[in-house]
């Protein structure tokens, strides 16, 4: 019998979440972001499902794009960080990739290249993120150089990236939209600005292309409740099972470092999953899990292969009972808040040791 820990993937939920993005931005084409192994869900699995439904896919780097092409994905693929050296442009051209231009150096590489076929390029402008993107004052000159470059197709997309769209109270997103409007007003090209948070909360930023990522996997980028977050469905449900049960007397401790002490007669369930499987080692006692669909909490330190859970208040827990670590019924963002991180990190750090299993709901 196989070890019971699995990252179960509901592809119907994936398709549903893409339809939510399309409903929220009905006038926009969709670039589905599948970087970082599709946020830990499995890039090949997710890309095969989304390729017929999205207008394009997006990855961080050319290595991720090559892997998708080798798996049979023929859809347009956008390199969000562009190329890291001039030689990558030749491969990008051969594979028919779309390339982000974030820096003057990347533009110069394009101008000096001799490619099999011209590339479709997206030009990123820095409107306040201050991470990647050209300076606003350089936009006109660089756009004109792209237009004149024989290695670049005519249909350039002008884009930007939001720094605080997941915080509706922040004035920064409105300021970035205003700056992007000003910069793009004189360019007869398509535009893109909205990430998942932009799709869900900033309709003025939808433009011609939206770039949903995190929301496609059923997770809200917002720390609090947001009007559209309830429409999303979790794609990944991380599960394992109870492999042992122990009765612990008051005053006895559980786990490495003896950091959890029983304050009453307690029933402790050992679950075969740990930080070697992608469950965060820093999850403290009190972090929620679901045992047979009912809430319980961690007791003691997370080990490499196991956790211990206080099931004292749950009736009739048995060896073999299913435990949900996050996903259906327990949002990954809630677990992440207990750990002091974000759900993005928890899913993208999921190792190959935990098998991705496609399930039918």
């Amino acid at each position: 019998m196989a070890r019971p820990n699995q990252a179960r993937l509901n592809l119907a939920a994936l398709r549903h979440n893409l339809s939510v993005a399309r409903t929220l931005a009905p006038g926009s084409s969709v670039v589905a972001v599948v970087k970082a192994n599709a946020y830990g869900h499995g890039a090949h699995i997710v890309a095969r499902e989304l390729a017929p439904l999205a207008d394009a896919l997006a990855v961080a780097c050319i290595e991720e794009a090559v892997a998708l092409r080798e798996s049979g994905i023929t859809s347009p693929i956008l390199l969000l960080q562009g190329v890291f050296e001039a030689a990558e442009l030749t491969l990008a051209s051969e594979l028919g990739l779309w390339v982000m231009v974030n820096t003057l150096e990347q533009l110069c590489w394009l101008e000096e290249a001799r490619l099999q076929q011209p590339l479709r390029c997206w030009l990123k402008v820095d409107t306040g993120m201050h991470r990647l993107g050209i300076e606003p004052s350089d936009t006109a000159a660089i756009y004109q150089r792209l237009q004149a470059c024989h290695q670049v197709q005519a249909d350039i997309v002008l884009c930007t990236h939001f720094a605080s769209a997941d915080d509706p109270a922040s004035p920064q997103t409105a300021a970035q939209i205003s700056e992007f409007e000003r910069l793009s007003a004189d360019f007869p090209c398509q535009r893109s600005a909205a990430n998942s948070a932009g799709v869900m909360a900033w309709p003025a930023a939808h433009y011609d292309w939206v770039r949903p990522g995190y929301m496609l996997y059923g997770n809200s980028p917002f720390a609090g409740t947001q009007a559209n977050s309830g429409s999303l469905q979790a794609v990944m449900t991380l599960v394992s099972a109870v492999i042992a049960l122990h009765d612990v007397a008051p005053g006895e401790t559980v786990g490495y470092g003896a950091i959890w002490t029983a304050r009453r007669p307690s029933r402790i369930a050992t679950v075969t999953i740990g930080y070697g499987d992608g469950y965060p080692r820093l999850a403290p006692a009190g972090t929620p899990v679901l045992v047979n669909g009912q809430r319980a909490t961690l007791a003691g330190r997370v080990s490499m292969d196991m956790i211990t859970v206080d099931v004292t208040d749950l009736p009739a827990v048995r060896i073999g009972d299913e435990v949900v670590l996050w996903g259906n019924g327990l949002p990954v963002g809630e677990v992440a808040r207990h750990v002091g991180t974000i759900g993005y990190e928890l899913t993208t750090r999921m190792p190959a040791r935990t098998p991705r299993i496609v399930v039918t709901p």
Side-chain angles (χ1 to χ4, degrees):
M1 181 176 177
R3 190 164 177 249
N5 63 318
Q6 300 177 346
R8 295 178 182 164
L9 305 180
N10 179 348
L11 299 186
L14 182 69
R15 297 191 299 271
H16 167 81
N17 297 332
L18 178 61
S19 72
V20 171
R22 285 205 181 276
T23 299
L24 292 174
S28 304
S29 297
V30 175
V31 178
V33 181
V34 296
K35 64 180 180 176
N37 198 27
Y39 290 59
H41 291 65
H44 298 166
I45 296 170
V46 169
R48 281 195 296 270
E49 196 68 22
L50 293 181
L53 305 174
D55 300 290
L57 305 175
V59 295
C61 58
I62 202 164
E63 291 85 358
E64 293 178 334
V66 168
L68 292 183
R69 285 285 187 256
E70 290 178 344
S71 72
I73 300 299
T74 59
S75 300
I77 301 175
L78 172 64
L79 303 181
L80 291 170
Q81 294 184 27
V83 297
F84 297 101
E85 59 181 1
E88 290 184 348
L89 289 171
T90 299
L91 182 56
S93 175
E94 292 171 355
L95 296 177
L97 306 180
W98 297 357
V99 175
M100 188 77 73
V101 177
N102 297 289
T103 66
L104 182 59
E105 287 77 10
Q106 290 175 332
L107 170 62
C108 292
W109 294 340
L110 273 167
E111 291 175 327
E112 296 167 1
R114 296 296 179 265
L115 303 177
Q116 176 178 307
Q117 58 181 342
L119 292 164
R120 185 168 194 192
C121 291
W122 289 42
L123 176 60
K124 178 176 283 186
V125 183
D126 179 11
T127 58
M129 181 72 163
H130 301 321
R131 191 178 61 177
L132 285 176
I134 63 170
E135 292 296 322
S137 58
D138 295 333
T139 304
I142 291 180
Y143 182 85
Q144 289 167 6
R145 286 173 64 177
L146 279 175
Q147 279 189 313
C149 181
H150 295 302
Q151 314 305 324
V152 175
Q153 295 181 18
D155 48 355
I156 299 165
V157 179
L158 193 66
C159 73
T160 195
H161 191 63
F162 293 137
S164 304
D166 57 351
D167 179 6
S170 171
Q172 186 174 19
T173 305
Q176 285 191 260
I177 292 172
S178 178
E179 174 71 350
F180 189 59
E181 291 277 356
R182 182 187 69 81
L183 290 170
S184 62
D186 296 330
F187 299 106
C189 64
Q190 293 187 326
R191 297 179 291 177
S192 177
N195 53 5
S196 288
V199 173
M200 295 174 68
W202 300 92
H206 289 167
Y207 300 116
D208 302 286
W209 290 88
V210 293
R211 310 187 304 271
Y214 195 52
M215 69 174 293
L216 296 179
Y217 307 99
N219 305 314
S220 172
F222 300 93
T225 302
Q226 198 273 337
N228 296 310
S229 61
S231 301
L232 302 176
Q233 298 176 4
V235 175
M236 176 192 291
T237 299
L238 180 62
V239 301
S240 189
V242 175
I243 60 169
L245 289 159
H246 295 278
D247 293 312
V248 177
E252 292 294 317
T253 62
V254 173
Y256 284 124
I259 63 171
W260 188 89
T261 302
R263 292 186 171 85
R264 57 176 178 166
S266 300
R267 186 78 161 158
I268 301 298
T270 302
V271 180
T272 178
I273 198 162
Y275 59 80
D277 308 291
Y279 193 78
R281 183 180 179 275
L282 296 181
T287 301
V289 302
L290 302 180
V291 181
N292 295 329
Q294 300 180 81
R295 287 199 168 223
T297 57
L298 293 192
R301 183 170 289 161
V302 174
S303 306
M304 184 182 295
D305 312 304
M306 289 175 282
I307 60 172
T308 42
V309 177
D310 184 356
V311 295
T312 308
D313 296 325
L314 302 187
V317 174
R318 296 178 175 85
I319 290 175
D321 285 350
E322 183 173 272
V323 179
V324 171
L325 291 312
W326 63 67
N328 190 19
L330 180 59
V332 68
E334 180 181 350
V335 177
R337 285 191 288 276
H338 281 266
V339 184
T341 187
I342 54 177
Y344 298 74
E345 181 179 15
L346 298 189
T347 62
T348 57
R349 289 172 69 95
M350 185 74 60
R353 185 191 197 196
T354 298
R356 278 67 165 174
I357 305 296
V358 176
V359 298
T360 303

